[in-house]
Each structure stands twice: as C-alpha cells, then as structure tokens.
Amino acid sequence: MRTRARRTVVVLVAAVLAVAGCGDAGGDLAGDGMADVVAPVVEATGTPTPSPTPPPPHVQGLGAAPTPSASPTPGATPSARPKPTRKPPVEAKLPPAVPAPAPSGCKPKYVGTQATRAQAKAALTEAAGRTYWPTSAPGIRVPVNLVKAVAWQESGWQSNIIACDGGIGLMQVMPDTAAYVNMRFEKNYDVDDYRDNATLGANYLAWLIKYFGDVYFGGDYTLTYDGECASHTAPCLVNAVLAAYNFGYGKVDTADGLVIPNPRYVENVRWLTTGCECLAF
C-alpha cells in the first residue's frame, strides 16, 4: 500500500508540472487573429505599393470597421472617468447608419485617375482649414493632422479607391453620408472629386465634434489627448468623434450613454496624428 501511494503522488506531481508548463505556449498575443496592416499607398499610376510606415497594432484601412473586442487592447488602461451625462440632441434629422462590413476576401476597385500626394495634401489641408459652423460654433476647427490621419487610415490617401463597403475616395465617405452633409449644410459637394471628398470628410468630422460636444460635453468642443482623454478607450470627445466616423454616431451615442465600440480604430488614428509618414509629405 505504501508503494502504491508513493507512485500515485509521483504521477500527480508530474501531471501538475506538465500542465503548468503549458502556460508558456506561443500564440496570437492579441487574441483576435487580426493582421497588422496599413492601407496601401497608390501612386499616380494606380498601382498599389506597401506603405513603409511602422503601424501600431491592429491598423485597418479602406473604411473597414474593426470587429469589436470583448477585452481592451493589450496595454490599454480604461479611463476611470464616469460616462458623460447625455443631453438630447436638437438635430431634426440625423446621419444614416453605417452599413455592415463588406464580406471578407472582397477587394476594392479603382476608378479614374489617382491624385498625387501633393494634390491630396493640399486638398486635406484646405478642408481642415474651413469653418463649417460659422454661426452656431465658429470656434470649431478640425485639426489638419487629424484630417490627414483619418484619410491615411481610411484610404492610404488613395483618391480613386472605392472600398467593398461603398466608401469612396480619400476620406472613404459613404454616398448616404455625403448626401446628408450636403443636405445639412446646404452644399453640393461631389463625393467622387478628391477635393470635395476631403471637404465632405472634414465637414462630417466637424458635425460629429459639434454633435457630441453638445450632447455630452455641454458645448465644449475641445479636442485633446491629455488628462481624462489620455486613454483611447475613454469616453471623451475626440475618441467619440473618431469612433463615430468609423462606426456611425449611433454606435457611440447609445441607450447606455457614450461608448467607444471600436477602440482599436481610435488608437490607430490617434497614433497616426503624430506617427504617420504622411505628415512629412
């Protein structure tokens, strides 16, 4: 009986050690199997070439909506700030919902002539410099680096690209969103023209700044990455604007208050506002 008992103890110890050793097995650190890629850059010839910009984790371009993760991005510390109090919007008509992501394996197409980087830079810079709320909120400005970063994230500054989900051009503006912006601001921008496309995207960012600033932040339209907005998961204004540009305002302004359903997208664009190679073009 003593011999059997000793053998049993040895077997149990060996089994415990074997199980403990499995904790060091390699695998997908992020746990989502998503590739770390950036949108390709296309020169005037229309031939895609890889971008040399070192991407942050989980960069997705061409208007793709990243799959929401059940857990925060590794290394991110959720903000301790309580959710902002919601005030009902005064808008009579709101933008359309963002369509579902395109099927996997679908490839974008190219239509027309690709604008040069110099042309894209000029269009994005001009779009950022406009005043979109001259009467009710003349102080709202969309930072130029933010416009450039969104365009790089969405299209890699490809002006003639049409994504599988229907996003068009530099800012990957959806046709329905373009129609809403034109209606709301009494404009007639052409979503297929790269200059108007840049303006439509920047105009929509300005609308989102005012919308979330009014509904959740008491008319404060300040965009900052500091303090309570140090984390890309925090329910602050700049995160809400970026999340809504990608997922639609209705996925951010919810029945549960302000949420950031796509923190990886927000993290990517925030990084690109200072780390994008496009800022040196």
Side-chain angles (χ1 to χ4, degrees), residues 17-26:
L17 291 174
V19 171
C22 294
D24 295 329

Side-chain angles (χ1 to χ4, degrees), residues 55-144:
H58 312 304
V59 176
Q60 294 197 12
L62 308 184
T67 303
S69 174
S71 58
T73 305
T77 303
S79 172
R81 176 185 177 180
K83 292 181 180 179
T85 302
R86 184 180 191 275
K87 178 182 177 181
V90 297
E91 293 278 349
K93 184 177 181 181
L94 296 171
V98 172
S104 60
C106 177
K107 294 183 179 181
K109 61 182 179 180
Y110 297 87
V111 178
T113 303
Q114 164 74 11
T116 66
R117 284 176 172 174
Q119 290 173 325
K121 175 184 177 180
L124 295 167
T125 302
E126 180 182 358
R130 296 192 179 192
T131 300
Y132 294 102
W133 294 95
T135 302
S136 58
I140 289 180
R141 292 289 188 277
V142 185
V144 64

Side-chain angles (χ1 to χ4, degrees), residues 127 132 142 147 150 171 173 181 196-206 208 245:
Y132 294 102
V142 185
V147 176
V150 169
M171 299 294 284
V173 180
V181 171
D196 283 0
N197 188 284
T199 301
L200 281 164
N203 200 158
Y204 186 47
L205 285 169
L208 290 168
Y245 190 91

Side-chain angles (χ1 to χ4, degrees), residues 42-64:
V42 175
E43 296 296 342
T45 59
T47 302
T49 56
S51 167
T53 302
H58 312 304
V59 176
Q60 294 197 12
L62 308 184

